[in-house]
Amino acid sequence: MPDDRITQAIDQYCVRLRRALRGVPSGERDEIVQEVRMHLLERIESEQHMTEEAVSRVISAAGDPKELAKECEMQAMFRQAATSRSPWLLLHTTLRWAMTGGAGIAAFFVTVLGYGCGAVFYLCALLKPFFPSRIGLWLAPEHTLSFGYWNGRLSGTEVYGVSVRPPASFVLGTLGPTEGPIRELLGLWLIPIGVVCGALLLLVTTLFARWFIRRFGPHESDGSPSRLVPSVSRTA
Amino acid sequence: MAILGSLWTGRLYGLEILHLLERNASLGLAEGTLYVILNRLKTDGLVESEWVDAGTGHPRKYYWLTPAGRQRLRGMARFWIRFAADLETLLEPALGRKELANARR
């Protein structure tokens, strides 16, 4: 049986592991810590001599708790995001995912675009009563349609919001400067239309982000080559 | 896939899985990582587990494949075999048939 000194070393490792896993649901955290603890005990008992070197070798073979925690937290975050309604969590998850590869970048780009457009529609509906002559759906030269805030200049016109120019130009941000007359199309109808379009965009973006995470997210144990043997190195 | 594969023939606990991976597939991993992966596979419904008192003074957690895990492993194995065969076709000119046959051993 391991003596107190060895048990203490294992307990210290488990405390570090538990602390590092604080972002993981408590049930899962308890299971992992308990299992790693049993693993360390059995590994140490199988050593011929329970020396300090042997103990520290066994503990270091278990891996750095912070690295293990990173893996767990990513998994927990993806699982939570796959069923979440929180735009913040979905944006945060797709941002973390974007740092790991192409699928994540695509997911983050579409999520930012969807939520960004939704936020513009909501914000315009909210601010229309305070800036009735500056916020609207604007028709500019070359059939450009812009939903947002107009800077009020007839020359050097700029609109901040969402702009579409046929056949295939789309801008989220600043459009302009453009020359020529600009006309508002909706008046106070902008308020209900902004609310409905904003809500639809938030809903569609949330559903898309959740589907994309479920289908292509790294938490899913599918058969793509990069996930067949995760975090494993080939030994000599 | 390697971890699922190690469970194909029956129930194993963590240390047995590690030994099997090292012995049969020359695969080594940070040992704590194994439990993180097993935890994920369990959450995905691919393995099931239970604590068993093995009479060694502390319990062991045994894992086994669920029907979904077996199905997933077969899909992964098919994918991997095709993938490896395609790569082998690509690499054969570089090594030659004789050296390739030696490398397979």
Side-chain angles (χ1 to χ4, degrees):
Chain A
M1 281 294 282
D3 62 26
D4 287 350
R5 194 170 38 84
I6 293 171
T7 314
Q8 205 176 355
I10 292 174
D11 286 345
Q12 278 173 0
Y13 179 85
C14 289
V15 167
R16 282 170 55 212
L17 181 60
R18 185 179 292 279
R19 201 178 298 145
L21 291 173
R22 62 184 173 276
V24 176
S26 61
E28 278 181 42
R29 184 173 57 221
D30 292 345
E31 281 284 306
I32 292 171
V33 173
Q34 169 78 345
E35 207 172 355
V36 169
R37 187 183 155 75
M38 293 305 154
H39 170 89
L40 292 174
L41 281 169
E42 189 157 349
R43 266 287 201 215
I44 286 169
E45 281 175 4
S46 69
E47 293 283 328
Q48 277 188 330
H49 304 288
M50 292 189 203
T51 59
E52 271 188 36
E53 290 78 38
V55 173
S56 66
R57 191 173 59 244
V58 166
I59 286 179
S60 74
D64 180 1
K66 284 184 184 163
E67 290 300 316
L68 298 185
K70 264 190 213 165
E71 175 86 5
C72 274
E73 281 175 6
M74 277 289 276
Q75 289 169 23
M77 182 191 262
F78 273 84
R79 276 204 305 276
Q80 210 181 337
T83 56
S84 172
R85 287 181 208 162
S86 158
W88 169 246
L89 179 63
L90 288 164
L91 277 170
H92 189 201
T93 305
T94 51
L95 175 62
R96 290 276 297 266
W97 190 11
M99 292 170 190
T100 65
I105 291 170
F108 180 63
F109 178 74
V110 175
T111 308
V112 166
L113 202 66
Y115 284 141
C117 291
V120 166
F121 278 99
Y122 264 129
L123 205 61
C124 286
L126 193 72
L127 294 177
K128 179 70 175 172
F130 303 104
F131 306 100
S133 61
R134 292 295 181 87
I135 285 182
L137 176 66
W138 306 99
L139 181 62
E142 298 169 358
H143 308 291
T144 303
L145 265 179
S146 301
F147 199 99
Y149 180 84
W150 170 45
N151 67 354
R153 293 184 193 158
L154 293 172
S155 172
T157 291
E158 285 188 357
V159 178
Y160 310 102
V162 180
S163 300
V164 181
R165 180 183 297 162
S169 171
F170 176 85
V171 176
L172 173 63
T174 310
L175 176 76
T178 57
E179 298 297 332
I182 180 167
R183 189 158 59 93
E184 211 279 313
L185 302 177
L186 287 178
L188 285 177
W189 278 104
L190 180 134
I191 296 172
I193 289 173
V195 169
V196 169
C197 290
L200 277 175
L201 270 166
L202 287 184
L203 180 70
V204 168
T205 307
T206 300
L207 291 176
F208 167 81
R210 282 162 46 165
W211 172 80
F212 205 81
I213 287 168
R214 275 199 299 272
R215 180 71 184 81
F216 302 106
H219 70 295
E220 188 60 43
S221 318
D222 71 10
S224 69
S226 62
R227 297 173 199 161
L228 291 171
V229 192
S231 312
V232 175
S233 63
R234 192 152 178 101
T235 56
Chain B
M1 181 180 70
I3 294 170
L4 289 178
S6 68
L7 293 170
W8 182 260
T9 50
R11 298 154 63 108
L12 296 175
Y13 72 100
L15 209 49
E16 286 177 326
I17 295 173
L18 282 170
H19 287 148
L20 199 67
L21 290 179
E22 278 173 20
R23 202 173 53 237
N24 292 354
S26 305
L27 294 170
L29 69 163
E31 294 176 2
T33 308
L34 173 70
Y35 300 103
V36 174
I37 297 170
L38 285 168
N39 185 54
R40 182 178 77 203
L41 295 174
K42 190 177 172 186
T43 309
D44 289 347
L46 303 181
V47 299
E48 202 42 83
S49 67
E50 72 171 344
W51 287 100
V52 173
D53 186 357
T56 55
H58 41 253
R60 290 169 175 167
K61 195 174 186 185
Y62 278 83
Y63 290 88
W64 64 94
L65 290 175
T66 62
R70 287 185 172 271
Q71 196 181 349
R72 183 68 65 88
L73 177 61
R74 287 176 62 82
M76 284 175 155
R78 274 194 292 269
F79 183 93
W80 180 260
I81 298 294
R82 265 202 314 273
F83 180 69
D86 289 347
L87 264 186
E88 203 172 294
T89 308
L90 196 71
L91 296 175
E92 192 181 328
L95 288 181
R97 285 199 178 166
K98 200 174 167 189
E99 203 177 338
L100 195 68
N102 284 338
R104 276 202 205 104
R105 283 176 205 151

